[in-house]
Amino acid sequence: MEQTQKHPFQDHTLDIDTRVHDLVSRLNDEEKIESMLQYQPAVERLGLGGYKHGTEAAHGIAWLGEATFFPQPTGLACTWDAELMKKIGNVISDEARVVYKRNPEVNGLTLWAPTVDMERDPRWGRNEEAYGEDPKLTGELTSHLVQGIQGDHPTYLKAVATLKHFLGNNNEVERGSGSSSIDPRNMREYYLKAFEQPFVEGGAKSMMTAYNSINGTPAILHPLVNEVVKGEWGMDGFIVSDAGDVMGIKNDHHYYDSHTPGVAESVKAGIDSITDDPELSKTALREALANGQLTFEDIDQALFNTFRVRFLLGEFDSAELNPYAHIGEEAMMTAEAKALSLEASRKSIVLLKNDNQTLPLSKTATGSVAVIGELGNAVYRDWYSGTLPYAVTALEGIQQKVNSKVSYQDGNDRITLTSTATRAPLSIQPDPVQESVTASVTSANPNDIQSNKPITGVLSAASESTTEQTVFELSDWGFGSYTLRAPNHKYWTSNDDQGIVTASADEAYGWFVKEVFGLQPQANGTTAITTWNGKTVSVNPTSRQLTIIDTPESLDEHASFEKTIVENGLEQAIAAAKEAETAIVFVGNNPLINGKEEIDRPSLELAASQLHMVQEVYKANPNTVVVVVGSYPFAMEWVEEHIPAIIYLSHVGQELGNAVADVLYGDYAPAGRLNMTWYRSEEQLSDIRDYDIIRTGRTYQYFEGDVLYPFGHGLTYGTFQYSNIQVVSSELEVDEVIELSVQVKNISEMDSEEVVQLYTHVDHSRVKRPIKTLQAFRRIHLAAGTSQTVHFTIPVKELSFWDVTRDLYCVEAGTYTLMIGRSSADIAQQMSIKVNGEVIPARDLTFTTQAVNYDNYHHVQLGESKEGGAVIEAITDEAWMLFQDVDFGTGVEHVEVRMATTQDQAKIEIVLDQVDQASVGAIVLASASGEQHWSTEQTSITGVTGKHDVYLKLSKGVRISTFQFGASSE
């Protein structure tokens, strides 16, 4: 900001912390309160401009007009290319600078990306936004993306990366009110581990908390924010709440009876910027300050954190000092950015299967091609996409690639619908009020895209004499979700304000996707139609328009339609496949349907109609290739068993079609690798809200079953040979590093890339350890016939696990296997090393022990104690906790438990060695105390000496925070 220097904060030669403190001290009380919100106001008397925290940038600048777009993050993760991620981050922040300069008070430089949540369940509705199931892969890729976003200047940041959503946010079901139960080992080794690297190595300057609770405490209030993120990791930026989440403390979690204590506690817990209703938030802040729940010292610390980041962005210095201030319109959607988008799309493509070298196809010898499936001629954007400057579909890419005939069939039925009440076919009638209005669903604020969409055509069943018959294109996305398009290329959409159905939407898009309809066959052969939110579509007896009504107990003739197939999409697809030499079938999902923010996926399966189309096309033409365009892994055993070649990529990249065509026809050899395990069935998964990956065997680290495709899987057109694995030293101390090398040779005749993956396994451990753990990876390019020695350097400390007996990371003494391979299931070379680490001592339970530090459990979950920390709660009468290898020495005579109970007849039994043995002591309470009414209870035990495994058996409703064994208190 250009201004005459009046105050110390305007002096760029001073230390930044001094400048920030000076600025904050000059704000009056009301200015401070106002500045706690996402939209920080201008303060003209100090020369401060207004500023907004939070510009969406998951894979390009969203919602602010045209920008360069890259594949969805789940697709970017399949590149396994950290340096590419840094380049992408650089483009995103360049374009952020452009839109910032256009409107600096609204288009801020604090970007809400990347999403770092661990994806231990592929049914998560937001799978598209994150980087997979492994903390190392996620940490490495997001660290480099952060570095690209924030720049490499020693003084200034180009933009700021906001990591989200902290923590344990991997289900949309009840996300605002539910709690993720995560014990210390899962927390430290998995969920926290993913966030640590982009903070410590990537240097991220911001973070967003999650909507869910963690062990009963809303994430926005959880002590992990201050203790770990700001404390252990030293993050010196600011923490922002997710939209509406501060008020959600009361509204969703019902944690407090009013907003005031939630706002106060969130600020104390580390929230520096509130993204919520401004008036409610300011009122709550004033009340909290007035009643002493909050102090201006608390406010000043939060403002120090947010304004410090604004200083680092160069806002308060002259443009001559900040190299990023000169970035202008010339940096928007450059030729280099376009080329990078193509590179990212190419590198994201995973060759899942390629029997008999079906791929690549020949541009000249393959002959005619049938492109089949709606996804073959579409590039769909997701919720966090902006306006793509252009989009190349796969059909267009293939047409540009080959000289032979290319036909296309989307496989969709064309239908008519006739009202059983009026006997008239549905048709599009002009709206006399809005007849001339042009439809548009583009908005700078996506929350506006919910209602009041301009109408281009009202759907009606006019009269019995109507002869006009409108043919609609019906897209079946599976699981009861359909979209319909009229001849004007507009989608059917629910205009909820007017209570009618119109053909007016340009795309299926919005927070509420009102272009989704249900078509339910009825027993009498007719069809009932429902809206996105389950209401019934009916014909108004007076206006004859399609109207929306609450679903009646029984459907009358006005809500009944006869569906007639005018063109059978499957038959057309089969005919096209028969006439072509090669059929390329595109399947997958629409990123706004059956899985998005607030909606978890109903199944891992492909839509039934898509699978049937693949089966019938393959029957008609065995030379069939399947391309999966999707936001998440699919279960598709039949496809894997029968189709000779299958490739996968995610949505959105503006160069999607060119990338697909380059891979299909051999102009680019694919080398993407899966960022998640592809399971054979959702039956292989536990409940989506079960966050214990260790005990339930989730992700490649612990899953022992047969999978469709393993983590890290991906083929290429070249053949690579691994040899000569070596380490500098085969015996190491804990403070040393593993220096490993392996030779990789391209023994084929095609230049290609390979992703070299290093996994480790400890051969013996006190606890259940992963089958494999990814430690490092490298994507390399090798020309045909050439080789490269790939080096990895891994600190021995990376072999550690979280020892719950002592609350610390521990590297156990023993033998570790180092495995180099093409995927987690395809190990080409391995060797062992010896590590002179620790031997974990026997447990000593004569000290106060946290109940959550168990070794095993049955039918318990973690909750919150208002006294502090997480507690164990029994959810059935068969609940227990196990504490292994306990040394009682010469003996103990009592046990003391800090407990509460929600049930009458509460009981805790102490059992040794086998869970079904007789107890050596018990605590019995005759009445419920309440889940937060804690008391210390004690019982005597006899004859307990030496080493034992100790079980604490609990009746339903018992809650334990701590316990301790000891000698007699007499």
Side-chain angles (χ1 to χ4, degrees):
M1 177 174 288
E2 302 291 342
Q3 58 190 4
T4 303
Q5 182 176 319
K6 298 179 180 178
H7 306 294
F9 77 83
Q10 296 165 326
D11 184 354
H12 73 273
T13 65
L14 294 178
D15 171 79
I16 184 172
D17 289 359
T18 300
R19 297 178 69 190
V20 180
H21 281 302
D22 178 69
L23 172 58
V24 173
S25 72
R26 295 180 186 281
L27 299 173
N28 62 39
D29 289 355
E30 192 58 27
E31 289 166 346
K32 288 180 178 181
I33 291 170
E34 297 251 352
S35 296
M36 287 294 295
L37 303 180
Q38 178 190 20
Y39 286 86
Q40 294 185 313
V43 182
E44 293 184 7
R45 64 184 181 83
L46 295 177
L48 305 185
Y51 187 85
K52 178 194 174 187
H53 292 292
T55 296
E56 297 291 356
H59 46 118
I61 298 298
W63 307 342
L64 298 176
E66 291 185 352
T68 302
F69 273 89
F70 302 92
Q72 294 174 304
T74 193
L76 292 176
C78 291
T79 68
W80 288 58
D81 191 329
E83 290 305 316
L84 174 68
M85 296 301 298
K86 188 171 183 179
K87 294 176 183 177
I88 290 171
N90 185 58
V91 168
I92 290 173
S93 56
D94 275 352
E95 298 191 356
R97 278 281 172 178
V98 176
V99 298
Y100 170 72
K101 188 170 287 188
R102 292 173 183 171
N103 191 346
E105 293 196 359
V106 176
N107 305 335
L109 291 170
T110 42
L111 310 183
W112 285 356
T115 296
V116 186
D117 299 302
M118 280 286 85
E119 299 188 300
R120 39 102 233 178
D121 197 307
R123 294 169 294 189
W124 185 35
R126 303 182 74 171
N127 189 87
E128 65 200 27
E129 296 179 36
Y131 290 80
E133 68 181 40
D134 182 73
K136 181 61 182 179
L137 178 65
T138 295
E140 189 76 13
L141 296 179
T142 58
S143 290
H144 282 75
L145 183 70
V146 167
Q147 290 169 3
I149 287 174
Q150 297 190 166
D152 55 7
H153 193 272
T155 303
Y156 296 104
L157 300 171
K158 186 162 53 158
V160 166
T162 300
L163 309 185
K164 57 183 191 177
H165 312 83
F166 191 87
L167 189 70
N169 179 193
N170 188 219
N171 65 275
E172 295 302 290
V173 178
E174 300 175 350
R175 67 173 185 175
S177 58
S179 180
S180 302
S181 181
I182 306 176
D183 65 30
R185 273 199 65 204
N186 280 280
M187 182 73 77
R188 286 287 182 169
E189 296 176 27
Y190 191 64
Y191 296 101
L192 285 175
K193 185 63 70 175
F195 280 85
E196 182 176 6
Q197 190 172 352
F199 276 126
V200 175
E201 295 182 19
K205 295 295 182 183
S206 182
M207 184 185 80
M208 177 185 288
T209 51
Y211 285 118
N212 54 278
S213 287
I214 305 166
N215 301 335
T217 303
I220 196 170
L221 304 179
H222 206 281
L224 284 171
V225 175
N226 279 329
E227 292 174 4
V228 176
V229 179
K230 291 185 176 181
E232 291 182 27
W233 298 342
M235 195 276 274
D236 59 354
F238 73 96
I239 310 293
V240 61
S241 68
D242 207 340
D245 195 26
V246 175
M247 299 305 142
I249 297 170
K250 171 186 177 292
N251 295 340
D252 300 319
H253 290 290
H254 308 295
Y255 196 79
Y256 291 116
D257 293 332
S258 71
H259 293 306
T260 300
V263 171
E265 290 305 313
S266 67
V267 173
K268 289 183 175 180
I271 297 298
D272 304 305
S273 176
I274 297 172
T275 310
D276 217 312
D277 183 291
E279 294 309 315
L280 278 177
S281 300
K282 287 186 287 187
T283 297
L285 285 168
R286 293 185 191 107
E287 289 179 356
L289 288 163
N291 64 26
Q293 291 174 296
L294 200 63
T295 68
F296 272 106
E297 286 74 18
D298 298 320
I299 298 289
D300 287 352
Q301 182 58 58
L303 295 179
F304 175 86
N305 294 334
T306 53
F307 276 106
R308 188 175 191 277
V309 165
R310 288 176 64 176
F311 272 92
L312 291 171
L313 288 166
E315 178 182 350
F316 303 105
D317 294 343
S318 66
E320 287 72 25
L321 295 171
N322 179 8
Y324 302 128
H326 300 287
I327 296 174
E329 292 292 335
E330 76 287 344
M332 178 62 74
M333 297 179 291
T334 65
E336 292 78 11
K338 177 180 177 181
L340 189 65
S341 179
L342 175 59
E343 180 184 356
S345 291
R346 283 171 158 181
K347 286 189 170 183
S348 73
I349 293 176
V350 183
L351 181 60
L352 296 173
K353 182 181 179 183
N354 194 26
D355 283 358
N356 304 317
Q357 296 183 317
T358 300
L359 296 178
L361 303 173
S362 170
K363 299 174 191 175
T364 56
T366 300
S368 60
V369 175
V371 175
I372 296 170
E374 182 171 335
L375 288 159
N377 194 32
V379 177
Y380 291 113
R381 62 184 185 138
D382 60 27
W383 177 243
Y384 288 106
S385 299
T387 304
L388 278 65
Y390 65 90
V392 180
T393 70
L395 175 63
E396 293 167 337
I398 292 169
Q399 287 172 330
Q400 295 169 17
K401 189 72 63 176
V402 299
N403 296 322
S404 54
K405 177 184 176 182
V406 178
S407 63
Y408 171 68
Q409 290 293 334
D410 55 34
N412 292 332
D413 290 340
R414 269 65 179 176
I415 66 170
T416 60
L417 290 162
T418 301
S419 167
T420 58
T422 67
R423 303 310 307 166
L426 295 188
S427 60
I428 302 176
Q429 303 297 325
D431 185 335
V433 177
Q434 295 180 313
E435 186 174 358
S436 63
V437 178
T438 301
S440 172
V441 295
T442 302
S443 171
N445 182 354
N447 294 308
D448 295 339
I449 309 172
Q450 296 183 17
S451 61
N452 297 318
K453 296 178 181 178
I455 299 171
T456 57
V458 177
L459 289 159
S460 67
S463 69
E464 293 183 22
S465 61
T466 300
T467 58
E468 179 186 356
Q469 205 164 232
T470 303
V471 178
F472 302 102
E473 179 186 347
L474 180 67
S475 297
D476 179 1
W477 296 105
F479 315 104
S481 297
Y482 297 84
T483 56
L484 295 101
R485 269 176 288 189
N488 62 1
H489 303 296
K490 301 293 184 181
Y491 283 85
W492 282 30
T493 189
S494 300
N495 188 301
D496 292 337
D497 289 345
Q498 297 186 29
I500 59 176
V501 178
T502 67
S504 60
D506 288 332
E507 59 184 328
Y509 187 85
W511 182 260
F512 303 113
V513 187
K514 299 183 179 183
E515 293 70 44
V516 173
F517 291 84
L519 276 67
Q520 290 91 29
Q522 304 299 297
N524 62 1
T526 62
T527 297
I529 303 175
T530 54
T531 63
W532 66 278
N533 56 351
K535 294 187 177 181
T536 295
V537 176
S538 180
V539 175
N540 184 296
T542 303
S543 69
R544 302 298 178 94
Q545 292 182 347
L546 280 195
T547 58
I548 301 169
I549 62 174
D550 290 332
T551 302
E553 292 184 6
S554 60
L555 298 176
D556 62 19
E557 62 180 359
H558 293 286
S560 181
F561 303 88
E562 294 177 2
K563 184 182 79 171
T564 303
I565 298 176
V566 178
E567 297 179 19
N568 187 300
L570 179 60
E571 292 178 357
Q572 292 175 331
I574 293 169
K578 286 180 178 179
E579 293 177 3
E581 293 190 35
T582 301
I584 306 174
V585 184
F586 287 79
V587 296
N589 73 299
N590 183 308
L592 271 294
I593 300 173
N594 294 333
K596 61 177 284 291
E597 189 163 356
E598 286 201 329
I599 301 172
D600 289 315
R601 293 171 65 191
S603 171
L604 294 181
E605 303 290 331
L606 287 171
S609 60
Q610 292 186 2
L611 176 59
H612 186 50
M613 181 172 65
V614 172
Q615 292 170 332
E616 293 301 311
V617 167
Y618 176 70
K619 187 186 300 182
N621 186 341
N623 296 322
T624 294
V625 175
V626 166
V627 179
V628 183
V629 185
S631 305
Y632 31 61
F634 292 89
M636 47 183 206
E637 283 195 280
W638 190 95
V639 178
E640 160 60 24
E641 182 179 349
H642 293 88
I643 301 301
I646 310 167
I647 69 173
Y648 164 74
L649 73 161
S650 71
H651 287 285
V652 180
Q654 59 198 43
E655 290 282 343
L656 182 151
N658 286 331
V660 169
D662 286 346
V663 167
L664 289 172
Y665 286 92
D667 287 334
Y668 183 82
R673 297 293 192 269
L674 294 179
N675 63 326
M676 299 182 71
T677 301
W678 285 40
Y679 296 94
R680 293 188 177 275
S681 167
E682 58 236 47
E683 294 178 0
Q684 294 179 305
L685 301 172
S686 58
D687 189 283
I688 192 172
R689 286 166 288 193
D690 188 338
Y691 277 75
D692 187 342
I693 71 165
I694 300 173
R695 191 169 186 274
T696 58
R698 300 296 288 273
T699 81
Y700 80 96
Q701 292 193 48
Y702 294 98
F703 187 73
E704 296 180 351
D706 181 30
V707 302
L708 189 68
Y709 302 113
F711 173 80
H713 170 73
L715 309 175
T716 188
Y717 298 151
T719 303
F720 292 87
Q721 182 182 78
Y722 288 69
S723 64
N724 199 29
I725 185 172
Q726 293 184 2
V727 291
V728 172
S729 176
S730 60
E731 183 172 351
L732 294 158
E733 304 300 322
V734 173
D735 59 354
E736 295 183 313
V737 297
I738 303 166
E739 296 179 81
L740 178 146
S741 65
V742 67
Q743 189 174 56
V744 183
K745 184 176 183 179
N746 183 347
I747 59 173
S748 68
E749 296 180 355
M750 174 175 265
D751 296 353
S752 186
E753 291 182 316
E754 176 78 343
V755 178
V756 184
Q757 303 169 39
L758 168 61
Y759 297 87
T760 59
H761 173 75
V762 57
D763 294 349
H764 177 75
S765 176
R766 178 191 178 278
V767 299
K768 180 180 179 181
R769 299 286 292 275
I771 301 166
K772 294 184 183 73
T773 301
L774 181 69
Q775 296 290 355
F777 57 91
R778 190 82 38 78
R779 183 162 179 152
I780 62 172
H781 182 275
L782 286 178
T786 65
S787 63
Q788 179 179 333
T789 299
V790 179
H791 297 270
F792 293 109
T793 301
I794 309 296
V796 172
K797 289 181 180 178
E798 291 299 307
L799 303 177
S800 67
F801 80 105
W802 185 256
D803 177 17
V804 296
T805 73
R806 297 172 295 169
D807 285 322
L808 50 77
Y809 283 108
C810 168
V811 178
E812 290 179 291
T815 302
Y816 291 77
T817 302
L818 311 178
M819 296 167 279
I820 293 280
R822 305 170 184 87
S823 79
S824 62
D826 186 0
I827 301 302
Q829 293 267 286
Q830 67 181 47
M831 67 176 300
S832 295
I833 60 170
K834 180 181 178 182
V835 173
N836 296 319
E838 294 184 76
V839 175
I840 298 173
R843 269 191 186 262
D844 184 353
L845 298 185
T846 62
F847 293 95
T848 300
T849 301
Q850 300 293 323
V852 297
N853 282 332
Y854 50 65
D855 289 301
N856 204 347
Y857 65 92
H858 182 66
H859 288 185
V860 303
Q861 64 184 9
L862 277 71
E864 179 198 55
S865 167
K866 295 294 187 181
E867 296 181 334
V871 301
I872 292 298
E873 179 177 359
I875 55 179
T876 74
D877 283 331
E878 290 75 40
W880 52 257
M881 295 178 292
L882 169 63
F883 299 83
Q884 293 176 309
D885 192 30
V886 177
D887 190 352
F888 289 114
T890 57
V892 291
E893 297 180 359
H894 74 270
V895 63
E896 191 174 85
V897 180
R898 189 69 175 162
M899 65 176 292
T901 179
T902 60
Q903 304 286 321
D904 292 336
Q905 304 300 318
K907 188 175 184 180
I908 302 173
E909 294 181 87
I910 314 302
V911 175
L912 302 182
D913 301 323
Q914 297 292 330
V915 72
D916 56 357
Q917 296 296 303
S919 67
V920 296
I923 296 173
V924 178
L925 296 182
S927 62
S929 61
E931 66 175 25
Q932 295 298 341
H933 289 81
W934 296 92
S935 63
T936 301
E937 306 295 335
Q938 181 174 304
T939 186
S940 298
I941 56 178
T942 58
V944 178
T945 62
K947 288 189 176 182
H948 297 276
D949 291 342
V950 177
Y951 289 87
L952 271 60
K953 297 175 67 173
L954 317 174
S955 62
K956 182 179 179 180
V958 169
R959 310 180 89 232
I960 300 178
S961 60
T962 62
F963 65 93
Q964 181 178 1
F965 287 84
S968 174
S969 58
E970 296 180 0

